[in-house]
Amino acid sequence: MAQQEREPASDGRTDRSLTMSRAMVEAIAHEMREDDDVFYMGEDVADYGGIFDSTDGLLEEFGYERIMDVPISETAYIGAAVGAAQAGMRPIAELMFVDFFGVGMDQIYNQMAKNTYMSGGSVSVPMVLTAAVGGTYNDAAQHSQTLYGTFAHLPGMKVVVPSTAYDAKGLMHNAIRDDDPVVYLFHKRLMGIGWMPAPDGPKTGVPEDEYTIPFGSADVKREGADVTVVTLGLHVHRALEAAESLADDGIDVEVIDLRTLVPLDTETIADSVAKTGRLVVVDEDYRSFGVTGEIVASVVEAEGGLADLEAVERVAVPDVPIPYARPMENEVIPDADDVENAIRDVHASE
Amino acid sequence: MAQQEREPASDGRTDRSLTMSRAMVEAIAHEMREDDDVFYMGEDVADYGGIFDSTDGLLEEFGYERIMDVPISETAYIGAAVGAAQAGMRPIAELMFVDFFGVGMDQIYNQMAKNTYMSGGSVSVPMVLTAAVGGTYNDAAQHSQTLYGTFAHLPGMKVVVPSTAYDAKGLMHNAIRDDDPVVYLFHKRLMGIGWMPAPDGPKTGVPEDEYTIPFGSADVKREGADVTVVTLGLHVHRALEAAESLADDGIDVEVIDLRTLVPLDTETIADSVAKTGRLVVVDEDYRSFGVTGEIVASVVEAEGGLADLEAVERVAVPDVPIPYARPMENEVIPDADDVENAIRDVHASE
Amino acid sequence: MVSVNELQSMYENMVTARHYEERLQEEYLEGKQPAFDISAGPIPGELHLAAGHEASGAGVCQHLRDDDTVTAPHRPHHIAIAKGVDLKRMTAEIFGRETGLSKGKGGHMHLFDPEVNFACSGIIAEGCPPAVGAGLAAKKRNTDSVAVAFLGEGAIDQGAFLESLNMASVQNLPVVFVVEDNDWAISMPKHRITDVANGARRADGFDMPGERVDADDAVAVYEAARAAVGRARDRNGPSLLEVQVHRRMGHFMGDPEGYRPDEDKAAAERRDSIERLEADLRGHDVDDETIDDLRDRAHERVEEAIEWAKDQPEPEPADAYEDVFVNPASGVTDSEPSVAETGGDD
Amino acid sequence: MVSVNELQSMYENMVTARHYEERLQEEYLEGKQPAFDISAGPIPGELHLAAGHEASGAGVCQHLRDDDTVTAPHRPHHIAIAKGVDLKRMTAEIFGRETGLSKGKGGHMHLFDPEVNFACSGIIAEGCPPAVGAGLAAKKRNTDSVAVAFLGEGAIDQGAFLESLNMASVQNLPVVFVVEDNDWAISMPKHRITDVANGARRADGFDMPGERVDADDAVAVYEAARAAVGRARDRNGPSLLEVQVHRRMGHFMGDPEGYRPDEDKAAAERRDSIERLEADLRGHDVDDETIDDLRDRAHERVEEAIEWAKDQPEPEPADAYEDVFVNPASGVTDSEPSVAETGGDD
Ligand SMILES: Cc1ncc(C[n+]2csc(CCOP(=O)(O)OP(=O)(O)O)c2C)c(N)n1
Ligand SMILES: Cc1ncc(C[n+]2csc(CCOP(=O)(O)OP(=O)(O)O)c2C)c(N)n1
Ligand SMILES: [Mg+2]
Ligand SMILES: [Mg+2]
């Protein structure tokens, strides 16, 4: 598990538990104290503290100049972050819901992601684009997506998706210090917001000291010998729930949390499948042309992967927009039962 | 091969050869004559006739009211097409280069693609969004992409990618008549534009009469027993070239042209792989989290697919933006040699 | 000059809208007790109520016909009501029921009623381009219907709105843009996000008339809208109208409003456009009884709609696969708009 | 008042730019003969030349320092030259060579010279937000540097520009927006895409001063830009400037210009800002010899740059995998901006 993490300093109280949002904010506050060039821009990030608590408490310490409310002009302010980053600052720009990417995507993928390449490396764009992702609370088709595949498909951005407070803090430190643009997607349901109760998993022990989690290192959140589940974000917890339930039936499930989609840790996945021979890929994004297909293909392509592989299933949102009413939303967003069924299927096959 | 096509009427001169752009324009003109509700909007589509000849000659017949130049406001005019479609018209809106999607994506994916679903089917959006795709002429990172995966990933849009004049015409008739939104991506290099010479393949015989090619029917452009190549757009021709060259060496290659990504004809692919056991997927989009991964996963998931599959390779743009200078652009965009090498690899394996 | 009938019609719409919001608030919050949980209760998801915005919807829609198109933003109910959207089916939609306008797929931010050409959506300023498109369709078909796009003052800095002004103007389309200025974009006061206190000033830069109505005054809105809608109907081109309204509730239900000065909220309550219109009615010699009747009828309609909606069945899980083109598992060649192919996620 | 030195400096920039475009045109077209083939010849890809736009770049950049930021659109050369971009490396980039500003990765629409804070890009109005960001950085760091975003008149209807006006204004940033109005957006005349003949009219809607310079007159541009740049440098906020220029060539090389009336093209040639500035120089008693010297020096510089560039090596194919974060085939944890990991496409 996550061998690469820097050990917390000895005075770090690792028994302290934080919600994911507190852990993220702690990393941001630390980086802002260390480096005057770090600042945060977004809608409702100042007085409100971020609709999903992403900046909660930061205004008090850093003031309006560094925790900046901006007009509802995603193109202008995300592009302004690109310009400020190229001028040597380290902006964090928040897109309130990832679903809004469509109004600012040009600045994101044609400039933020490409300027380093198009300049032959003479320019770098050290910024973080944060966005809330995910459904499960009936906010319908324009406020419930994860869009993991959309961002991971287009080159030039690193894509981070934390599933626990511990990971969220370490990954955020790394994101802000990274000289490349990083898209940091946090799942609303994991944040520990008062009005949207989180499941148990994301609230974890978090060292008070800074630490980084390198990108491209998937984390084996549960070891197991029979079936490999590859997932990320909220669905790490749903997969763990399924795994616990299956343990009673003697099915031993390994759960891999990708943590970053770009870079993608295909080695950890391939090693696990070499052991189990059975793969279930779970995500909350649309099924086709996205994350699940890529993971399957990466296993098939790995040295010996095709031979190792005995059974595969994908569990994702079937290719429909997210519906509003509960029975339908519950149907399309995979839950622990869906994951459990898929694991049983691949386990039973052959 | 494309059994589903409606037979051309007996007076159709099928020996007449057209460039892909002429075939597209012919279908558009026909539909405009038949139905006053069809009109075309885009930048430089009137006097210029479309930068890539997509509307060449239409202004003369239909005038400025139906072949409409619009401000450089993709959000406004693509969204206006959505509104006009919902009001019962059948607009065709052109995004000059698919690379510009980022300035208008919200209207495309949050309205055009979702309004039917979000309205519970009470509203339909019968419009076509056309866009030029592709590289091979050194136009660099912001004008050379195909972005197949980006559009196919997001639900609610049908995605069409013709590779020949014959297909282009039939698919365009179908696209305009479809009551769902259709994204019609034409490859610049295939259009037969004076200043950008096309390879031999796309210019084909085209019946003068109307005919439709149903969506979701892949076309076996070449039958073969040894290796299945699945591809689309320009790369159909590069794959065919590779196949011809390998025929001399006794490797018998089947080339499947997807023609539409959504709906995806997984059956034709799976049937072919059941026969050959060897799969090469080729596209001009970015490699990761896109088309190639989906095709591999779809084969693995098909009944018996994992057992059938003996070897797989993906040939696509490695995950970098498209570079400008020729040696680099040639390197990243797969050519016939790259396809040939991949076919040899999967053929030799085992 | 506005007629008594029209005053009464506006009043009825406004009272209906106000009571509707108050009742929805009750229903919504009741289910989220004791600790507010957004995913609990009879009304799923977010809820943006428009109490305090009524003068805008009523004053503008008074000039509209069923064949005129309206697009509304995330705060749509008062506009929907004034436009004549089916209140029962709208309410069922908000409660996520099968007989809702969108069969439970859309929810309160995605209400579509093609009978009266009403639609709303959840992305800022997103409805402006489709309104332009509706205007374009009217022009092409040579009808005299018009299109109205409503948006908040926080939306006037979004590209979709600004581009739409230009497109409507250069193509001389029958479109009216109505900005509802409630001084707040969630927690951001207007002055923090634009230097233009009067958003109607933007119009001139697109060669379009712009006017601001500076009070929560349904009659003033009615008059300004008469000119703007009339101009559109007469094929004289688009207009921009900014209307002062007030947000009497949180941005969404559950909004703690910690950012909002008490006095601001108190002022919103003082400036009640419904009381003002009531005074106007009395000025036109409408008696108490008539006003009470109007109010009672409105309340009754709301209660009926809510009762009906709550009785409606929920959709089946598998309904999720209908009403969209679904990428089929095999080469299905159907090109109908509504296809049910994919059977589930596993 | 403009000094003789400044007039001479502008003249040199303008003559350099004009000669540069003419020479690039030759080099470009030569290689595409006999039938125009965009993928043949020594200069790859599209080429948008700015002959006729020189007064704008020269007049504005005359007020700028190296630490001021400029973003330019797809037609960037005259601006790059006036901003002091390294002409040799810029030319090598245009020829797709390894020693180009972007090592051959960017080409003529993607020139970046961080030494003088210049960048351009190929999407309409895309440079406006980053210019706002550069202004924001200057404000945060409390320097007196400014940012200038150049764009075409066809770009003033794009959301990115309009949103940027508001953001620069409300945050009082040191940004100047310069619209180069050449009357054409490829084949679309200005009046077809906007009703606002004077684009500077848009400024007021964002509470910002706007001014139009109505002739291809470098000195008039210089004067207007002095006020706008000075205002920014003094922390008094942003401005919008629209400058009349003319497009002497096609939109891109190879553009048949079938849409363009002969008289329009002839007028573009008559209104030559370089001749006009030459007259101004003479009015300031600059003699023929000096003017000839300036011109000769400019031409020489251009020839040198082109000769040098053509001598430079092409990049290696594998260079394509450098200078971007590449999704590595395995769990590589490098977080440097430039990583070469993926080995090829097969
Ligand atoms: C493009 C986009 N950005 C941000 C949001 C999130 N959001 C929803 S409502 C809102 C504030 C809108 O303010 P205003 O337009 O004034 O309308 P009001 O809520 O005051 O009626 C914001 C920022 C969104 N829905 N879409
Ligand atoms: C968002 C976007 N839409 C369309 C284009 C294609 N395009 C390139 S240049 C151009 C015309 C630009 O006109 P203008 O801004 O007046 O600049 P000019 O070419 O006249 O200098 C267009 C439409 C683009 N690059 N980006
Ligand atoms: Mg508001
Ligand atoms: Mg122009």
Side-chain angles (χ1 to χ4, degrees):
Chain A
M1 285 188 65
Q3 305 296 344
Q4 305 87 334
E5 284 135 38
R6 194 197 297 178
E7 283 299 300
S10 50
D11 59 343
R13 288 172 43 215
T14 48
D15 56 343
R16 185 189 61 145
S17 273
L18 293 187
T19 61
M20 202 168 97
S21 85
R22 293 314 312 157
M24 277 171 56
V25 167
E26 195 167 271
I28 295 167
H30 178 95
E31 296 297 328
M32 289 185 70
R33 276 176 219 122
E34 297 283 303
D35 184 351
D36 284 346
D37 283 327
V38 180
F39 66 100
Y40 204 108
M41 278 197 281
E43 293 148 14
D44 306 289
V45 300
D47 296 294
Y48 198 107
I51 299 298
F52 303 106
D53 289 358
S54 54
T55 54
D56 190 38
L58 293 175
L59 178 68
E60 290 66 22
E61 179 172 354
F62 299 103
Y64 288 105
E65 291 296 310
R66 295 184 69 193
I67 304 295
M68 291 176 62
D69 273 349
V70 291
I72 310 176
S73 308
E74 284 78 1
T75 295
Y77 77 78
I78 294 172
V82 173
Q86 291 178 180
M89 301 198 76
R90 292 190 169 267
I92 307 172
E94 177 172 305
L95 182 64
M96 191 190 288
F97 288 71
V98 77
D99 314 65
F100 309 160
F101 86 96
V103 302
M105 192 58 174
D106 182 63
Q107 295 292 325
I108 296 170
Y109 104 107
N110 261 334
Q111 300 229 76
M112 182 187 87
K114 289 180 183 161
N115 279 359
T116 296
Y117 192 77
M118 295 194 302
S119 70
S122 75
V123 156
S124 76
V125 189
M127 66 177 275
V128 182
L129 178 69
T130 61
V133 304
T136 75
Y137 66 105
N138 322 112
D139 220 5
Q142 296 186 328
H143 290 76
S144 303
Q145 301 164 104
T146 58
L147 301 180
Y148 299 141
T150 298
F151 287 89
H153 179 54
L154 300 165
M157 310 174 253
K158 297 175 184 178
V159 180
V160 176
V161 184
S163 72
T164 68
Y166 181 85
D167 289 352
K169 178 170 169 179
L171 291 165
M172 181 60 88
H173 277 296
N174 217 43
I176 298 172
R177 294 176 194 179
D178 201 302
D179 290 331
D180 281 323
V182 175
V183 178
Y184 187 107
L185 303 173
F186 55 87
H187 199 293
K188 298 159 220 170
R189 177 60 79 190
L190 298 177
M191 291 292 269
I193 307 158
W195 45 274
M196 196 190 296
D200 273 345
K203 188 166 182 177
T204 63
V206 177
E208 278 181 36
D209 283 353
E210 54 171 316
Y211 58 94
T212 57
I213 297 178
F215 295 161
S217 62
D219 188 32
V220 178
K221 285 278 191 294
R222 184 186 199 280
E223 291 193 26
D226 297 336
V227 174
T228 299
V229 176
V230 176
T231 185
L232 74 173
L234 173 66
H235 282 76
V236 169
H237 305 285
R238 297 191 165 183
L240 288 170
E241 193 186 327
E244 286 314 315
S245 144
L246 288 160
D248 302 337
D249 294 359
I251 303 180
D252 190 18
V253 177
E254 179 145 307
V255 177
I256 296 177
D257 177 359
L258 290 172
R259 298 204 291 200
T260 63
L261 284 170
V262 181
L264 182 65
D265 181 358
T266 54
E267 210 171 279
T268 297
I269 303 168
D271 288 352
S272 177
V273 175
K275 178 173 69 175
T276 64
R278 285 145 208 283
L279 172 65
V280 174
V281 191
V282 183
D283 83 355
E284 196 181 325
D285 196 7
Y286 303 115
R287 177 193 183 91
S288 293
F289 304 94
V291 171
T292 55
E294 182 62 26
I295 302 296
V296 172
S298 81
V299 168
V300 167
E301 279 175 339
E303 187 73 39
L306 193 48
D308 291 338
L309 203 56
E310 287 160 42
V312 182
E313 283 224 18
R314 299 197 275 170
V315 184
V317 174
D319 300 318
V320 300
I322 312 292
Y324 171 68
R326 276 189 206 108
M328 294 190 287
E329 196 199 20
N330 291 344
E331 168 69 14
V332 305
I333 298 187
D335 58 18
D337 283 346
D338 295 324
V339 179
E340 191 176 322
N341 290 338
I343 295 171
R344 280 190 201 280
D345 281 357
V346 300
H347 188 255
S349 75
E350 212 79 332
Chain B
M1 283 188 66
Q3 306 296 344
Q4 304 88 334
E5 283 137 38
R6 191 196 301 180
E7 283 301 298
S10 51
D11 59 342
R13 289 171 43 214
T14 50
D15 55 343
R16 185 188 60 146
S17 273
L18 291 187
T19 61
M20 202 167 96
S21 85
R22 292 314 313 159
M24 280 171 55
V25 168
E26 196 166 89
I28 296 167
H30 178 94
E31 297 296 327
M32 291 185 69
R33 274 175 223 125
E34 298 283 304
D35 184 350
D36 283 348
D37 282 328
V38 179
F39 66 99
Y40 204 108
M41 279 197 282
E43 294 148 13
D44 305 290
V45 299
D47 295 294
Y48 199 106
I51 300 298
F52 303 107
D53 290 357
S54 54
T55 53
D56 191 36
L58 292 176
L59 178 67
E60 289 66 21
E61 180 172 353
F62 299 102
Y64 288 106
E65 290 298 310
R66 296 184 69 193
I67 303 295
M68 290 176 61
D69 274 347
V70 290
I72 310 177
S73 307
E74 283 78 1
T75 294
Y77 77 79
I78 294 172
V82 174
Q86 290 178 181
M89 302 198 74
R90 294 192 168 264
I92 307 170
E94 175 173 305
L95 183 64
M96 191 189 289
F97 289 70
V98 77
D99 315 65
F100 308 160
F101 85 95
V103 303
M105 192 59 174
D106 182 63
Q107 295 292 326
I108 296 170
Y109 104 108
N110 261 334
Q111 301 228 74
M112 182 187 87
K114 289 180 184 160
N115 279 0
T116 296
Y117 192 77
M118 295 192 304
S119 69
S122 76
V123 155
S124 76
V125 189
M127 64 176 276
V128 182
L129 178 70
T130 60
V133 304
T136 75
Y137 65 104
N138 322 111
D139 220 6
Q142 296 186 330
H143 290 76
S144 303
Q145 300 164 105
T146 58
L147 301 179
Y148 298 140
T150 298
F151 287 88
H153 179 53
L154 300 165
M157 309 174 256
K158 298 177 184 176
V159 180
V160 176
V161 184
S163 73
T164 66
Y166 180 84
D167 289 353
K169 180 171 168 179
L171 292 165
M172 182 60 87
H173 277 296
N174 217 43
I176 298 172
R177 295 176 192 179
D178 201 301
D179 290 330
D180 281 324
V182 175
V183 178
Y184 187 107
L185 304 172
F186 56 86
H187 199 293
K188 298 160 219 170
R189 177 60 79 191
L190 298 177
M191 290 291 269
I193 306 158
W195 45 273
M196 195 190 296
D200 274 343
K203 188 166 181 177
T204 62
V206 177
E208 276 180 36
D209 282 353
E210 54 171 316
Y211 57 95
T212 57
I213 297 178
F215 295 161
S217 61
D219 187 32
V220 179
K221 284 279 192 291
R222 183 185 199 282
E223 292 193 26
D226 297 337
V227 175
T228 300
V229 177
V230 176
T231 186
L232 75 173
L234 174 65
H235 282 76
V236 169
H237 305 286
R238 295 190 168 184
L240 288 171
E241 191 185 328
E244 287 313 314
S245 142
L246 287 160
D248 302 337
D249 294 0
I251 304 180
D252 190 18
V253 178
E254 180 143 309
V255 177
I256 296 176
D257 178 358
L258 291 171
R259 299 202 294 199
T260 64
L261 285 169
V262 181
L264 181 65
D265 181 357
T266 53
E267 211 172 278
T268 298
I269 303 169
D271 288 352
S272 177
V273 175
K275 177 172 70 174
T276 64
R278 286 143 208 283
L279 173 64
V280 174
V281 191
V282 182
D283 85 353
E284 195 180 325
D285 196 7
Y286 303 115
R287 175 191 183 91
S288 293
F289 303 94
V291 171
T292 56
E294 182 61 27
I295 302 296
V296 172
S298 81
V299 169
V300 166
E301 278 175 340
E303 188 73 38
L306 193 49
D308 291 339
L309 203 56
E310 288 161 41
V312 182
E313 284 225 13
R314 298 197 276 169
V315 184
V317 174
D319 300 319
V320 300
I322 312 292
Y324 171 68
R326 275 189 206 108
M328 294 190 288
E329 195 201 21
N330 290 344
E331 169 68 15
V332 306
I333 298 187
D335 58 18
D337 283 346
D338 295 323
V339 179
E340 188 175 325
N341 290 337
I343 296 171
R344 281 188 199 281
D345 280 357
V346 299
H347 188 254
S349 76
E350 211 81 330
Chain C
M1 272 293 299
V2 59
S3 71
V4 177
N5 274 350
E6 288 187 303
L7 288 177
Q8 293 191 4
S9 160
M10 289 193 284
Y11 183 75
E12 197 170 339
N13 279 329
M14 287 168 67
V15 177
T16 305
R18 175 70 57 85
H19 189 61
Y20 192 67
E21 302 297 60
E22 286 166 353
R23 288 287 293 111
L24 284 188
Q25 181 179 35
E26 275 170 42
E27 297 283 340
Y28 184 86
L29 291 179
E30 190 180 281
K32 318 268 180 201
Q33 303 302 340
F36 186 91
D37 175 356
I38 191 170
S39 32
I43 302 183
E46 281 184 271
L47 190 62
H48 308 85
L49 298 179
H53 281 223
E54 296 86 355
S56 153
V60 173
C61 294
Q62 192 60 40
H63 301 284
L64 301 183
R65 310 183 308 227
D66 286 355
D67 62 319
D68 295 326
T69 294
V70 161
T71 64
H74 56 284
R75 200 179 298 290
H77 304 160
H78 63 301
I79 305 166
I81 287 169
K83 185 64 172 70
V85 169
D86 184 320
L87 193 64
K88 284 185 173 162
R89 294 193 60 211
M90 164 172 153
T91 311
E93 185 60 33
I94 295 170
F95 280 81
R97 302 307 163 100
E98 196 182 30
T99 50
L101 284 172
S102 303
K103 305 181 190 161
K105 290 201 171 72
H108 108 107
M109 282 190 280
H110 310 294
L111 302 167
F112 292 82
D113 190 347
E115 298 292 311
V116 297
N117 292 292
F118 176 89
C120 63
S121 65
I123 311 290
I124 290 299
E126 196 185 48
C128 296
V132 170
L136 186 63
K139 183 180 174 189
K140 285 188 180 300
R141 290 170 157 183
N142 206 19
T143 72
D144 70 344
S145 60
V146 307
V148 180
F150 286 84
L151 57 151
E153 93 294 340
I156 68 168
D157 309 319
Q158 179 70 226
F161 165 65
L162 296 161
E163 291 187 358
S164 294
L165 292 182
N166 182 65
M167 179 141 165
S169 183
V170 70
Q171 297 182 347
N172 200 43
L173 301 178
V175 183
V176 180
F177 300 91
V178 179
V179 177
E180 300 189 322
D181 178 8
N182 64 7
D183 291 327
W184 292 97
I186 310 186
S187 71
M188 303 191 296
K190 187 175 189 182
H191 66 81
R192 192 176 296 162
I193 56 179
T194 183
D195 275 352
V196 181
N198 172 3
R201 261 173 82 186
R202 299 243 161 114
D204 181 64
F206 301 91
D207 201 39
M208 183 189 296
E211 189 182 339
R212 181 176 160 91
V213 176
D214 229 336
D216 299 48
D217 179 349
V219 175
V221 175
Y222 172 92
E223 295 296 351
R226 187 205 331 247
V229 172
R231 188 166 183 270
R233 219 180 280 295
D234 296 343
R235 293 285 172 272
N236 291 321
S239 311
L240 172 60
L241 212 62
E242 185 168 272
V243 175
Q244 177 76 66
V245 296
H246 283 86
R247 200 182 84 197
R248 296 168 73 92
M249 298 171 171
H251 169 74
F252 38 44
M253 289 298 94
D255 178 358
E257 292 198 277
Y259 53 82
R260 191 169 181 186
D262 289 342
E263 166 48 24
D264 184 84
K265 186 126 186 185
E269 269 160 42
R270 275 198 309 274
R271 304 241 238 150
D272 187 352
S273 57
I274 293 183
E275 282 170 23
R276 181 170 190 144
L277 184 57
E278 225 170 279
D280 288 335
L281 282 170
R282 287 184 221 282
H284 280 73
D285 297 329
V286 180
D287 60 20
D288 282 3
E289 202 184 333
T290 310
I291 292 176
D292 288 348
D293 274 1
L294 288 169
R295 195 189 305 111
D296 291 348
R297 208 161 66 198
H299 286 212
E300 219 168 279
R301 206 176 138 222
V302 167
E303 295 309 326
E304 253 177 52
I306 291 178
E307 283 325 300
W308 185 82
K310 288 166 76 173
D311 261 5
Q312 299 301 300
E314 292 204 307
E316 295 299 316
D319 293 343
Y321 308 115
E322 280 171 23
D323 301 319
V324 70
F325 175 81
V326 180
N327 198 20
S330 66
V332 171
T333 57
D334 192 313
S335 63
E336 295 301 301
S338 306
V339 184
E341 287 301 332
T342 303
D345 48 40
D346 49 14
Chain D
M1 273 292 300
V2 57
S3 72
V4 177
N5 273 349
E6 288 188 303
L7 287 178
Q8 293 191 5
S9 160
M10 289 195 284
Y11 183 75
E12 198 170 338
N13 278 329
M14 287 167 66
V15 177
T16 304
R18 175 70 57 86
H19 189 61
Y20 192 66
E21 302 297 58
E22 287 167 352
R23 288 288 291 111
L24 284 189
Q25 181 179 35
E26 275 171 40
E27 296 283 340
Y28 184 85
L29 291 180
E30 191 181 279
K32 317 270 180 203
Q33 301 305 341
F36 186 91
D37 175 356
I38 192 171
S39 33
I43 301 181
E46 280 185 271
L47 189 63
H48 308 85
L49 298 179
H53 281 222
E54 296 86 356
S56 153
V60 174
C61 294
Q62 191 62 37
H63 300 285
L64 302 182
R65 310 183 308 226
D66 285 355
D67 63 319
D68 295 327
T69 294
V70 162
T71 62
H74 57 285
R75 199 179 299 291
H77 303 160
H78 62 301
I79 305 167
I81 287 169
K83 185 65 171 72
V85 169
D86 184 319
L87 193 63
K88 283 184 172 163
R89 294 192 60 213
M90 165 172 153
T91 311
E93 186 60 32
I94 294 170
F95 280 81
R97 304 306 165 101
E98 194 182 33
T99 50
L101 284 171
S102 302
K103 305 181 191 161
K105 290 201 172 68
H108 108 106
M109 281 189 281
H110 311 293
L111 301 167
F112 293 82
D113 190 347
E115 298 291 311
V116 297
N117 293 291
F118 176 90
C120 63
S121 64
I123 311 290
I124 290 299
E126 196 185 49
C128 296
V132 170
L136 186 63
K139 183 180 175 192
K140 286 188 179 299
R141 290 172 158 180
N142 207 18
T143 71
D144 71 344
S145 58
V146 306
V148 181
F150 286 85
L151 57 150
E153 93 294 339
I156 68 168
D157 309 319
Q158 179 68 227
F161 165 66
L162 296 161
E163 291 187 359
S164 293
L165 292 181
N166 182 65
M167 178 143 168
S169 183
V170 71
Q171 297 183 345
N172 200 41
L173 301 178
V175 182
V176 181
F177 299 90
V178 179
V179 176
E180 301 190 322
D181 177 7
N182 65 8
D183 292 325
W184 292 96
I186 310 187
S187 71
M188 302 191 296
K190 189 176 188 180
H191 66 82
R192 191 175 298 162
I193 57 180
T194 183
D195 275 353
V196 181
N198 171 4
R201 263 172 80 186
R202 301 243 161 114
D204 181 64
F206 302 92
D207 202 39
M208 181 189 298
E211 191 182 338
R212 180 175 160 94
V213 176
D214 229 335
D216 299 50
D217 178 349
V219 175
V221 174
Y222 173 92
E223 295 297 350
R226 186 201 338 243
V229 172
R231 187 164 183 269
R233 218 180 279 298
D234 296 343
R235 293 286 170 271
N236 292 321
S239 311
L240 172 59
L241 213 63
E242 183 168 273
V243 175
Q244 175 76 67
V245 295
H246 282 86
R247 200 183 86 195
R248 297 168 70 92
M249 298 170 172
H251 170 74
F252 39 43
M253 290 296 95
D255 178 358
E257 290 197 278
Y259 52 82
R260 192 169 181 186
D262 289 343
E263 167 48 27
D264 184 84
K265 186 125 187 188
E269 268 160 42
R270 277 199 308 276
R271 305 241 239 149
D272 186 353
S273 59
I274 292 183
E275 281 170 22
R276 181 169 189 143
L277 184 58
E278 225 170 278
D280 287 334
L281 281 171
R282 286 185 223 280
H284 281 73
D285 296 329
V286 179
D287 59 20
D288 282 5
E289 200 183 336
T290 311
I291 292 176
D292 287 349
D293 272 2
L294 289 170
R295 193 189 306 109
D296 291 348
R297 209 159 67 196
H299 285 210
E300 219 167 278
R301 209 175 136 224
V302 168
E303 295 308 327
E304 253 177 52
I306 291 178
E307 283 324 301
W308 185 82
K310 288 166 75 173
D311 260 6
Q312 299 301 301
E314 291 204 307
E316 294 298 316
D319 292 343
Y321 307 115
E322 280 172 22
D323 300 319
V324 71
F325 174 82
V326 179
N327 196 23
S330 65
V332 172
T333 58
D334 193 314
S335 64
E336 295 298 304
S338 306
V339 184
E341 286 301 330
T342 303
D345 48 42
D346 49 13

